[in-house]
Each structure stands twice: as structure tokens, then as C-alpha cells.
Amino acid sequence: MTEQRVRATRLASELGTNLVALLGLMHDLGVSAPNGNSGISVRDAATVREWFDNERRRVSEERAAQIRRENSALLDSYHDMQAPRDQRIGELRPKYACACCGRNVGRPSSALIELEADLYCPRCDSHYEQPDEPADRELERLRAHDADLRSYARRAWLAQNVYRDKMKAAYRSRDTWRTTLAEVVLPHEPDDDGLCQVCRRPSPCPVWTVLEETNLGVYRDVENLATLDEDEREKLLHPARFNDSDFEDMPW
């Protein structure tokens, strides 16, 4: 009975990878497959599939761990924002903050201050971390802190949108004054007899000379615009800005 074989091209399609990468991997795993039409044994195919499964599981676990670290950092930042600051000495650490969530707990008793005991707000009184705590207590704490994290992430997202809108407004404003400057200066280009088309003075006329003396960089930019045809100039002066990627520096 002929042993069933699996083509490398079919295996690459099944695993969602390109053939060249798969052939290189099979070589590293000791599986012989000279080209894409080569057939490999079912056992070798299972070895390759197992490697992909393990690698994807490893990447997934690393990503999950990274997300947990990022969420923890976000929650720490949220705690720091929520807790009051000691304005008298300019400390950055929270003062009289809940050891569980970081919220303000008010001024505790002098005894607790002297003992340097952990302080807890009413919301965390039932779920702050304890040694050998039951799973239900830990789950309650994680759910409460998850809500805190989502609230912080929402506020951070809204703040990001505000700054993004300011950035877009700044770019649009700059587009406007660039266009205005070009429309003022470019008509003062010389005609065939070497005279300014507006002032009828020898080129360069005072408009160009004043611009050059005021800001040489802007002068060079407008000078470059004068060398472009109308379509290219229109594209630079009136850029289409709709998506975030459109709000990037123009070449002038």
C-alpha cells in the first residue's frame, strides 16, 4: 500500500504561511522537501503542524502577558491620577491613598499614620488582597479594578481625540496661510521681458526681495512652487486631508 503524502504547497496553504518560509522551516526540522511539489509523509506533516501550533500558542501567551503588563501600568497611572498629592512638599506619590485602588481615603487616624498601616477605601474594604484569599474575593477585586481601568482608558481615549482634533486644526490653519502666501507672491513672477507681472518693475520685485530677507526658507519653498505646473501646485497647496494619515508634513 502506497504511503499517503502531503504536498508542501497544500500544507503551506493550510497553515497560512508562504511556501519559501515553510520549506526553510521544514529544513530546520529535518523534513526533506526540495520544492513546493514535493510530498512529505503524514508523520512529517504532523510534526510541522505541531511546531506551528506550539509557536502560535507561545506568541499568544506572550501577547496576553504583554497586555496584562500594559493594563497593569494603565491602572497604576489611573491610581496616581485619582489620588491627591501632597502640595506642600511637591511629592509625586499619592498621600493617604487606598492601597488597593489608589483613591483618596481622607486623613486617617494618627494611630494608623504612626503604624504606617495600609489604608483602604470603602469600595475596596471587602476585596483588598489578603494572604490565601478565596477565589471569590480575588474575582471581586479584579472586576472592580477592571471597571476602573475601562474608565481610565475611556478618558484617555477622549483626551487623545481632543489633541488629535487640535493637531488637525493646526495643519488646516497652516495650509490656509501657505496658500495665502503663495497666492500673494506667485503673481509677482517675471514675464518674458524680465519685469514683474504685477509691479512692472525689474525682477526680483520688492515682494520677492522682502520675503527673501524676512525668511529665506519660506522664500525657497515659494520659489520651488513657482517651478511646478498648475496641477502639482494645486495638490501641494490644497492637500486632501480626511484620514489621520493625511495629516503629515507636506514636502514644502
Side-chain angles (χ1 to χ4, degrees):
M1 183 176 179
T2 305
E3 182 184 7
Q4 187 176 1
R5 312 286 286 181
V6 180
R7 283 193 175 185
T9 52
R10 183 172 181 178
L11 187 59
S13 177
E14 173 190 333
L15 296 173
T17 185
N18 66 73
L19 181 60
V20 175
L22 180 62
L23 292 175
L25 172 64
M26 289 194 294
H27 179 270
D28 294 340
L29 295 176
V31 177
S32 177
N35 55 61
N37 292 322
S38 301
I40 62 175
S41 67
V42 174
R43 176 178 295 181
D44 287 341
T47 299
V48 175
R49 291 190 184 99
E50 182 181 6
W51 184 93
F52 267 86
D53 290 341
N54 292 336
E55 181 66 12
R56 285 168 175 158
R57 189 179 302 109
R58 181 189 66 79
V59 172
S60 178
E61 291 173 352
E62 287 182 356
R63 177 56 180 159
Q66 179 184 357
I67 292 174
R68 286 194 294 271
R69 289 193 298 269
E70 292 173 351
N71 288 349
S72 177
L74 282 172
L75 188 56
D76 288 343
S77 299
Y78 172 74
H79 291 166
D80 290 343
M81 291 174 61
Q82 291 293 309
R85 310 295 181 181
D86 189 342
Q87 298 296 335
R88 294 173 304 169
I89 57 177
E91 291 186 351
L92 295 178
R93 62 179 178 81
K95 182 180 181 182
Y96 305 142
C98 175
C100 184
C101 72
R103 288 186 175 86
N104 181 21
V105 297
R107 184 176 178 83
S109 65
S110 58
L112 287 176
I113 295 177
E114 291 176 3
L115 292 172
E116 298 183 352
D118 288 336
L119 309 173
Y120 300 102
C121 69
R123 293 184 58 176
C124 297
D125 191 53
S126 62
H127 65 232
Y128 64 83
E129 188 173 359
Q130 291 181 338
D132 301 323
E133 62 184 358
D136 290 344
R137 185 184 181 94
E138 181 183 13
L139 183 58
E140 178 187 349
R141 180 173 66 255
L142 293 176
R143 283 174 173 167
H145 289 182
D146 179 69
D148 287 345
L149 179 59
R150 291 177 186 276
S151 174
Y152 169 74
R154 175 62 179 168
R155 290 195 296 166
W157 175 255
L158 293 175
Q160 174 202 8
N161 289 340
V162 170
Y163 286 114
R164 183 183 60 186
D165 291 344
K166 290 182 178 179
M167 177 269 292
K168 290 182 178 180
Y171 269 107
R172 290 192 176 103
S173 175
R174 189 179 67 172
D175 291 342
T176 299
W177 69 253
R178 278 180 166 177
T179 302
T180 303
L181 177 64
E183 291 176 349
V184 169
V185 176
L186 290 179
H188 290 264
E189 280 286 279
D191 54 17
D192 294 337
D193 58 6
L195 299 178
C196 171
Q197 299 180 42
V198 177
C199 305
R200 306 309 299 169
R201 296 183 180 182
S203 182
C205 74
V207 172
W208 280 97
T209 56
V210 169
L211 178 60
E212 183 178 17
E213 293 170 358
T214 304
N215 191 311
L216 183 58
V218 174
Y219 171 84
R220 296 298 185 196
D221 290 335
V222 178
E223 192 176 41
N224 290 334
L225 279 175
T227 65
L228 303 177
D229 59 38
E230 290 187 7
D231 291 339
E232 292 176 330
R233 188 183 305 165
E234 181 70 16
K235 184 177 179 180
L236 284 178
L237 292 179
H238 301 92
R241 299 192 190 273
F242 301 104
N243 302 319
D244 288 352
S245 58
D246 298 330
F247 288 85
E248 299 175 354
D249 267 339
M250 300 300 291
W252 81 290

